[in-house]
Amino acid sequence: KITINGRQPVYDVKFNANPPTGSTVSGSMSNQHFEYGTAQNLTINSFIVDGYTFSGWNTSADGTGTTYSDGELVSNLISTDGSILNLYAHWSDYVAEVNGVQYRTLAQAINAVPNNNVETIVKLLANTSAAITIPTTKNVLFDLQNFTISNSGNNRVIVNNGSVKITNGA
């Protein structure tokens, strides 16, 4: 047990946006205060990097340290009283996921949907602008996760906080 003058050590976690080179970040996050021996959830990420999806926190800017998920319940990250632990955001440029596989474009994700009319979930991982055609042999359920699909050339946008089902089959 670690005590300092009758109390547990305290420390702060500093959240760093760590955007990919050449990208723009918006949002901010305050440091989060911890007491050694007390578990609490990490603050949910509020940084936004256009074209990227937040994929978690790491104790190293290059991702080689300890990884934590957004809002993960943690305790005893460091024991030095009054210290600061830096956590760095990590970003992915994947747009969609089908059956656990991530794709960089929506067209690649649609191509991964089987041609057997079995409903397949295409989960968005970021806002995307794409002109796509879904073949009649594919039955797609878009899980938008509060992201949008737009086709700026035709001013069409799919916006929905839940899911959108597109059925093309017979």
Side-chain angles (χ1 to χ4, degrees):
K1 182 175 181 177
I2 299 172
T3 56
I4 297 172
N5 297 327
R7 68 167 176 79
Q8 295 293 328
V10 293
Y11 58 94
D12 284 338
V13 170
K14 179 180 180 182
F15 299 96
N16 298 277
N18 195 32
T21 303
S23 62
T24 303
V25 65
S26 61
S28 64
M29 295 185 68
S30 299
N31 290 359
Q32 184 176 3
H33 191 71
F34 284 84
E35 180 180 305
Y36 193 86
T38 302
Q40 65 187 63
N41 296 89
L42 290 171
T43 302
I44 298 293
N45 172 54
S46 63
F47 295 120
I48 298 169
V49 177
D50 287 339
Y52 291 85
T53 302
F54 175 75
S55 59
W57 299 104
N58 196 284
T59 55
S60 175
D62 67 4
T64 59
T66 303
T67 300
Y68 299 98
S69 60
D70 206 17
E72 182 174 335
L73 181 64
V74 296
S75 65
N76 304 341
L77 298 176
I78 49 178
S79 60
T80 306
D81 190 52
S83 59
I84 295 175
L85 174 70
N86 282 289
L87 289 183
Y88 299 89
H90 283 266
W91 304 94
S92 169
D93 60 354
Y94 293 105
V95 169
E97 178 179 306
V98 176
N99 296 325
V101 179
Q102 295 181 338
Y103 298 91
R104 295 190 191 282
T105 69
L106 192 54
Q108 291 171 336
I110 297 298
N111 285 340
V113 172
N115 285 314
N116 58 10
N117 260 328
V118 171
E119 184 175 281
T120 302
I121 297 172
V122 174
K123 181 172 143 184
L124 284 191
L125 303 174
N127 292 328
T128 185
S129 177
I132 58 168
T133 302
I134 301 173
T136 59
T137 57
K138 298 185 184 231
N139 189 351
V140 176
L141 174 68
F142 284 105
D143 180 356
L144 298 176
Q145 303 195 112
N146 293 314
F147 294 114
T148 62
I149 301 173
S150 63
N151 179 346
S152 57
N154 294 324
N155 294 319
R156 295 185 184 122
V157 179
I158 297 174
V159 180
N160 186 299
N161 292 335
S163 59
V164 174
K165 184 174 183 175
I166 298 175
T167 305
N168 289 322

